[in-house]
């Protein structure tokens, strides 16, 4: 076993480092100039799929191949949210997820999760090949590593859980990293790719109409409400759509009738990418805290981490500085080129929620809660939903309305946090007493009696003011200085400085207000 010498790779720098001025995801930087217009006259389909990410597009394609006429309804552009803001690893070895699932739900569920995750990996590879998608897909090993002796037991538990679940993992202390590790569990033949290129390939296969089926992609079309009936009716910003079934694949379920908001936690993480002279080839994630997730794309090295609950206080650009310092510490960096952030949804019992939207739903389906592994998880969910909608036998392991007794302490913690956020923020004074206290590039809550206003001063000195009350369930938003956004601490909705929705479950913007004098 290799011993760690010198500073541990989990080291978090305290010095200030120059950070790149480049913003935006590496994967979204070169997206195709392909647009899918909103709906016009054609408004009834067999299945309406809400969400144009990996889950929604894969579900639509699999249903289309079964002969269904499908419409994908996307509020922004294809792949613009979680699909375009990740590390782009597609693997059944997912940090320490399997050991967490085994601890919470038992060995049988962990085995089912591993089996379906591996199927998701292989389905991605198969669809890319069948459709001829140029998405830089390569087979790579995935590894969960102990970057220090303190992390070793967690990695050993993951190796045990993975073997018990049937994954052909191997133990090693040799990983393609520029520093030694205490040990690692490794799974060969997993997949890395360009996720946005892959998503556009799926979209083209759904939308093309040479077979006469007539499936469609609708971009710039936000679903505002849904009425489950016969047919299902979805109100959008471009008028109503109807379908025999609807699939909610919006990353976070946007309607509360299934009480998903009470059983999930949202977290944010940050990424930087830079051109280096010594890229590492394995897809790696460390097991400790802080967690570092890494992969390469040619000469570009990607490092992600610095997680925090959505809406946490005190978030600033130091998250990016820490990642850039880590990248420069371990790789010979020529230039840091991109930085971006992502939001993930963690179910209280560590397994996705896939199936009927409510216990009595027969026409409304959902997939959510991939615990940071949405490319394999979303593909797995799509295959299961397509089988369920087609009436084929499928597993009930991921049923959304399960009760996991060992997860109840986590569930109680989540509800306590929401209660503290709702009540505590209303008792707090304003963060500034007057807008004159706001520096450029900064935002804060201004309180006048019972009224609270989110105020942001842009780099030119202009003021932007919005209601601080989240349009989802009424929690008070907080300013995220790393992303210059208003984030809700209760359920993860995010808004730009003028109130537009960046991330659900909210579907309505924050009302704009006149800037205070």
């Amino acid at each position: 076993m290799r011993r760690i010498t010198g500073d541990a790779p989990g080291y978090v720098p305290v010095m200030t480092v120059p950070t790149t001025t480049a913003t935006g995801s590496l994967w979204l930087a070169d997206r195709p100039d392909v647009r899918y217009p909103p709906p016009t006259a054609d408004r009834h389909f067999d299945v309406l799929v809400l969400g144009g990410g990996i889950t929604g597009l894969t579900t639509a394609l699999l249903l289309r191949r079964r002969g269904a006429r499908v419409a994908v309804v996307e509020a922004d552009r294809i792949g613009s949210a979680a699909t375009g803001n990740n590390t782009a690893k597609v693997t059944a070895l997912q940090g320490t997820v399997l050991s967490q699932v085994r601890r919470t739900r038992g060995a049988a569920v962990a085995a089912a999760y591993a089996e379906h995750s591996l199927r998701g990996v292989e389905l991605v590879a198969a669809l890319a090949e069948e459709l001829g998608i140029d998405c830089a897909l390569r087979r790579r090993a995935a590894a969960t590593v102990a970057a220090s002796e303190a992390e070793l037991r967690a990695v050993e538990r993951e190796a045990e859980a993975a073997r018990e679940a049937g994954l052909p993992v191997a133990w090693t202390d040799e990983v393609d990293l520029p520093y030694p590790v205490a040990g690692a569990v490794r799974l060969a033949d997993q997949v890395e790719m360009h996720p946005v290129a892959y998503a556009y390939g799926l979209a083209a296969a759904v939308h093309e109409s040479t077979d006469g089926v007539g499936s469609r992609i609708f971009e710039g079309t936000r679903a505002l409400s849904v009425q489950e009936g016969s047919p299902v009716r979805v109100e959008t910003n471009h008028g109503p759509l109807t379908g025999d079934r609807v699939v909610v694949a919006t990353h976070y379920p946007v309607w509360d009738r299934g009480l998903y908001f009470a059983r999930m936690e949202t977290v944010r993480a940050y990424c930087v990418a830079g051109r280096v002279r010594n890229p590492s080839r394995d897809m790696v994630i460390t097991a400790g805290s802080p967690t570092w997730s890494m992969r390469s794309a040619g000469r570009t090295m990607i490092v992600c981490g610095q997680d925090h609950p959505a809406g946490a206080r005190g978030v600033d650009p130091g998250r990016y500085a820490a990642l850039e310092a880590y990248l420069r510490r371990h790789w010979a960096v020529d230039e840091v080129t991109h930085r971006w952030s992502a939001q993930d949804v963690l179910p209280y019992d560590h397994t996705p929620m896939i199936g009927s939207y409510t216990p009595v739903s027969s026409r409304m389906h959902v997939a959510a809660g991939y615990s940071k592994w949405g490319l394999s998880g979303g593909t797995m969910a799509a295959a299961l939903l397509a089988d369920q909608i087609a009436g084929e036998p499928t597993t009930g392991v991921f049923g959304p309305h399960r009760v996991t007794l060992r997860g109840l302490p986590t569930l109680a913690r989540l509800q306590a946090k929401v209660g503290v956020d709702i009540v505590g923020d209303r008792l707090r004074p304003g963060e500034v007493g007057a807008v004159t206290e706001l520096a450029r590039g900064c935002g804060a809550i201004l309180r006048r009696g019972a009224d609270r206003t989110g105020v942001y001063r842009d780099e030119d000195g202009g003021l932007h003011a919005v209601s601080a009350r989240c349009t989802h369930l009424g929690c008070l938003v907080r300013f995220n200085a790393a992303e210059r956004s208003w984030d809700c601490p209760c359920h993860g909705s995010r808004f730009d400085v003028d109130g537009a929705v960046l991330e659900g479950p909210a579907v309505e913007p924050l009302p704009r207000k006149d800037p205070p004098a």
Side-chain angles (χ1 to χ4, degrees):
M1 183 178 300
R2 232 176 200 181
R3 292 280 170 183
I4 304 299
T5 59
D7 292 323
Y11 162 82
V12 179
V14 295
M15 72 285 198
T16 301
V17 298
T19 56
T20 176
T21 57
T23 58
S25 166
L26 171 69
W27 315 120
L28 292 170
D30 59 351
R31 77 166 82 189
D33 188 21
V34 177
R35 304 284 180 142
Y36 295 98
T40 53
D42 200 6
R43 292 185 172 270
H44 181 79
F45 297 84
D46 296 326
V47 183
L48 300 173
V49 178
L50 310 184
I54 289 294
T55 305
L57 292 168
T58 309
T59 303
L61 178 61
L62 297 178
L63 289 171
R64 185 181 183 279
R65 287 183 165 186
R66 286 172 162 88
R69 190 164 175 265
V70 185
V72 176
V73 181
E74 168 54 43
D76 193 352
R77 292 184 62 190
I78 292 301
S80 60
T83 294
N85 291 280
N86 54 57
T87 51
K89 303 175 185 177
V90 193
T91 173
L93 182 63
Q94 304 170 355
T96 58
V97 168
L98 282 174
S99 52
Q100 292 170 354
V101 173
R102 183 176 67 167
R103 182 176 65 251
T104 305
R105 299 195 63 195
V109 173
Y113 181 78
E115 176 189 356
H116 287 281
S117 295
L118 204 54
R119 288 181 184 177
V121 174
E122 296 308 317
L123 182 54
V124 167
L127 290 175
E129 182 177 3
E130 291 169 22
L131 298 172
I133 302 174
D134 183 8
C135 59
L137 189 147
R138 294 181 182 84
R139 292 287 187 171
R140 296 288 193 206
T144 300
V145 309
S148 67
E149 300 289 347
E151 300 174 11
L152 195 55
R153 183 57 192 136
V155 179
E156 290 171 343
R157 284 194 296 267
E158 187 66 15
E160 293 165 6
R163 290 192 193 98
E164 187 177 22
L167 293 182
V169 296
W171 183 264
T172 182
D173 61 3
E174 296 291 338
V175 179
D176 187 14
L177 286 174
Y179 53 76
V181 300
V185 56
R186 193 169 186 269
L187 181 62
D189 293 326
Q190 302 305 284
V191 164
E192 66 178 24
M193 65 174 181
H194 190 306
V196 174
Y198 177 73
Y200 272 88
L202 295 180
V206 171
H207 194 78
E208 68 92 7
S209 55
T210 56
D211 61 0
V213 172
S215 293
R216 292 289 180 266
I217 306 286
F218 298 133
E219 291 183 320
T221 306
R222 183 177 294 279
L224 302 174
S225 65
V226 62
Q227 180 180 346
E228 187 175 3
S230 182
V232 177
R233 181 182 176 93
V234 175
E235 295 292 340
T236 79
N237 58 330
H238 291 286
L241 296 167
T242 58
D244 297 328
R245 304 284 189 100
V246 64
V247 173
V248 180
T250 53
H251 190 52
Y252 193 116
V254 293
W255 294 290
D256 302 323
R257 63 196 67 177
L259 296 178
Y260 294 96
F261 67 91
R263 297 179 288 134
M264 293 182 170
E265 180 179 19
T266 51
V267 297
R268 293 201 65 72
Y270 300 82
C271 299
V272 298
R275 284 191 292 273
V276 303
R277 280 161 272 170
N278 56 332
S280 301
R281 300 303 176 189
D282 288 345
M283 302 186 296
V284 174
I285 186 168
T286 63
S289 181
T291 297
W292 307 94
S293 180
M294 298 154 274
R295 64 154 286 199
S296 62
R299 280 192 55 216
T300 296
M301 198 71 207
I302 303 161
V303 178
C304 298
Q306 295 297 302
D307 308 36
H308 64 80
R313 297 184 186 280
V315 177
D316 60 32
R319 305 277 172 168
Y320 289 116
L323 289 164
E324 183 171 340
Y326 185 87
L327 179 66
R328 292 183 183 279
R329 182 179 178 81
H330 296 298
W331 287 271
V333 178
D334 291 328
E335 180 186 8
V336 175
T337 57
H338 297 82
R339 67 182 189 189
W340 68 95
S341 67
Q343 189 146 302
D344 293 286
V345 181
L346 283 60
Y348 77 101
D349 62 358
H350 307 293
T351 37
M353 297 183 178
I354 307 165
S356 298
Y357 203 91
T358 73
V360 297
S361 293
S362 60
R363 295 177 177 271
M364 193 169 173
H365 310 268
V366 69
Y370 307 130
S371 299
K372 305 184 182 183
W373 300 94
L375 297 182
S376 53
T379 307
M380 168 185 81
L384 291 169
L385 283 179
D387 286 346
Q388 183 183 89
I389 292 170
E392 298 178 12
T394 186
T395 179
V397 164
F398 308 109
H401 312 293
R402 61 188 181 259
V403 175
T404 304
L405 295 179
R406 290 185 181 177
L408 293 181
T410 300
L411 192 62
R413 176 183 61 79
L414 295 179
Q415 300 322 299
K417 175 187 177 297
V418 170
V420 169
D421 289 333
I422 290 175
V423 176
D425 281 3
R426 280 167 169 74
L427 298 177
R428 287 176 176 267
E431 295 172 329
V432 293
V435 294
T436 53
E437 299 176 33
L438 274 179
R440 298 187 182 205
C442 295
I445 300 297
L446 181 69
R447 178 173 180 173
R448 291 291 182 266
D451 181 68
R452 289 164 181 80
T453 300
V455 185
Y456 168 73
R457 188 184 295 279
D458 63 33
E459 297 293 350
D460 295 324
L463 292 174
H464 306 249
V466 295
S467 167
R469 187 178 185 273
C470 178
T471 55
H472 174 229
L473 290 180
C475 293
L476 298 182
V477 296
R478 299 170 182 169
F479 189 68
N480 177 338
E483 293 299 300
R484 298 189 180 184
S485 62
W486 294 105
D487 298 358
C488 177
C490 293
H491 306 114
S493 297
R494 298 179 62 239
F495 309 85
D496 72 11
V497 294
D498 291 315
V501 176
L502 298 174
E503 195 105 30
V507 297
E508 298 287 348
L510 296 177
R512 297 181 70 168
K513 303 174 75 170
D514 292 331

